[in-house]
Amino acid sequence: MGAGVSTSTTENDDGSTCLEDIPENCISSLMMNFDPQEICKLARVNKTFHRASSADFVWESKLSPSYKFLINKVLGEQNIASMTKKEIYAKLCRPNFFDAGTKEVWLDKCTAQVCLFISSKSFKITGIDDRRYWNYIPTEESRFKSVAYLQQMWWVEVIGELEFEFPKGNYSVFFKLQLGKPSKRLGRRVCNLDQVHGWDIKPVRFQLSTSDGQRSLSQCYLRGPGEWTYYHVGDFTIGKPNGPTNIKFSLAQIDCTHTKGGLCIDGVVICPTEFAERLKQF
């Protein structure tokens, strides 16, 4: 079935009915079996299909069970009543900032699964208020237009926390980091590596814990100077959604036998585990 199907609204010469004679509610019920992109294509078949594609129950079936929690985070309760479910779906599929612009949430357009990006400005970073050690530097390379940059320090510890209502599924947590200070010169991207040191001596430790007792611990050496890299912190599972889950994650290199420097922290990505290969799009 596609856009090439006849859109005639009159009875055929042999007395048979045509596509537009199908009741809208039947078409809407059938559309519940298609993914959102296919529904949008079917909406172009004719006016009947277009109206059927806008039915609230069609789009509510595509929304995450936690969509009310999401829309309250983004718009507040007062705005939900005036929106159709299709409008809510479209709104949530766009990047939406919340918590004073330090966090961003969106739904994957095809699957309606929840993805989050958390800015470095929402983290507890040891020494962040001392400009001898850390600075927030502006950059177009971040969704939040700035990143935390470490010049030099003995003790590096970064802690983040999020309370969020996740739909059922498996999720992965990643720190987005870069060795080197990004900037532009004559309109071209450059990355200053002068202050990068200390990361090849001892590995960085990553930890993850959830309010329902899930935990993970991993460590690795930071790599790839001049390139943004996603470092896997750990995974967690939401089996039976029952309100918000508290997530804690951290990055640490606290061996005080040597200094470390030249590290940029953009933020943390939380996404469905199967999206790991798509991280560069985030």
Side-chain angles (χ1 to χ4, degrees):
M1 185 179 293
V5 177
S6 169
T7 60
S8 171
T9 58
T10 60
E11 189 178 81
N12 294 334
D13 292 339
D14 60 1
S16 61
T17 57
C18 58
L19 196 60
E20 286 199 353
D21 292 321
I22 304 174
E24 279 185 30
N25 63 331
C26 290
I27 298 173
S28 296
S29 297
L30 288 171
M31 286 184 173
M32 293 176 66
N33 298 307
F34 294 91
D35 66 39
Q37 290 183 321
E38 291 172 331
I39 293 172
C40 291
K41 290 179 180 178
L42 287 170
R44 298 199 295 266
V45 170
N46 57 36
K47 291 181 179 179
T48 304
F49 273 59
H50 180 75
R51 290 193 298 268
S53 71
S54 298
D56 267 2
F57 68 86
V58 172
W59 290 99
E60 188 161 22
S61 71
K62 306 304 172 186
L63 283 164
S64 157
S66 63
Y67 81 88
K68 291 183 179 179
F69 172 87
L70 295 178
I71 207 70
N72 285 343
K73 281 282 187 183
V74 174
L75 294 177
E77 293 184 18
Q78 69 277 10
N79 293 296
I80 299 178
S82 62
M83 300 176 69
T84 66
K85 296 299 188 295
K86 184 178 181 180
E87 290 171 336
I88 290 174
Y89 189 92
K91 172 63 179 174
L92 292 178
C93 284
R94 295 192 292 270
N96 296 282
F97 291 98
F98 64 100
D99 282 359
T102 62
K103 301 178 180 69
E104 186 181 40
V105 63
W106 69 96
L107 299 183
D108 177 70
K109 291 181 180 179
C110 297
T111 66
Q113 295 186 84
V114 172
C115 302
L116 288 133
F117 203 120
I118 306 171
S119 167
S120 59
K121 285 194 173 181
S122 69
F123 301 158
K124 295 179 181 178
I125 302 177
T126 301
I128 190 64
D129 296 324
D130 192 328
R131 294 203 171 188
R132 293 175 299 172
Y133 307 127
W134 289 91
N135 285 291
Y136 285 108
I137 60 174
T139 175
E140 293 299 315
E141 297 181 13
S142 170
R143 301 168 80 100
F144 300 97
K145 306 306 179 185
S146 71
V147 296
Y149 179 69
L150 172 66
Q151 298 178 96
Q152 179 171 284
M153 202 173 191
W154 295 89
W155 181 290
V156 177
E157 188 171 29
V158 179
I159 300 171
E161 186 172 358
L162 172 73
E163 187 172 77
F164 201 83
E165 189 172 318
F166 291 93
K168 181 179 178 180
N170 300 313
Y171 296 87
S172 295
V173 181
F174 298 86
F175 264 100
K176 185 181 178 183
L177 311 174
Q178 178 180 258
L179 295 178
K181 186 176 183 179
S183 63
K184 281 191 174 183
R185 183 180 301 159
L186 300 177
R188 299 182 63 181
R189 181 188 189 272
V190 295
C191 191
N192 189 323
L193 306 180
D194 291 347
Q195 293 178 312
V196 176
H197 69 283
W199 305 106
D200 57 346
I201 300 174
K202 291 290 181 67
V204 170
R205 185 183 65 203
F206 298 98
Q207 291 190 80
L208 171 70
S209 65
T210 67
S211 53
D212 60 359
Q214 299 179 68
R215 296 181 180 277
S216 65
L217 171 64
S218 62
Q219 58 182 20
C220 69
Y221 291 91
L222 303 190
R223 60 192 183 274
E227 297 180 358
W228 287 107
T229 304
Y230 292 88
Y231 292 88
H232 185 218
V233 180
D235 303 322
F236 64 93
T237 299
I238 302 297
K240 295 181 179 180
N242 187 25
T245 299
N246 185 270
I247 309 293
K248 292 184 179 180
F249 46 86
S250 65
L251 168 165
Q253 217 294 16
I254 56 178
D255 185 330
C256 293
T257 61
H258 64 284
T259 60
K260 285 74 69 172
L263 174 67
C264 274
I265 302 177
D266 188 1
V268 159
V269 172
I270 302 178
C271 65
T273 300
E274 62 265 33
F275 286 9
E277 294 181 358
R278 298 164 48 182
L279 283 175
K280 290 185 178 180
Q281 300 175 15
F282 292 167

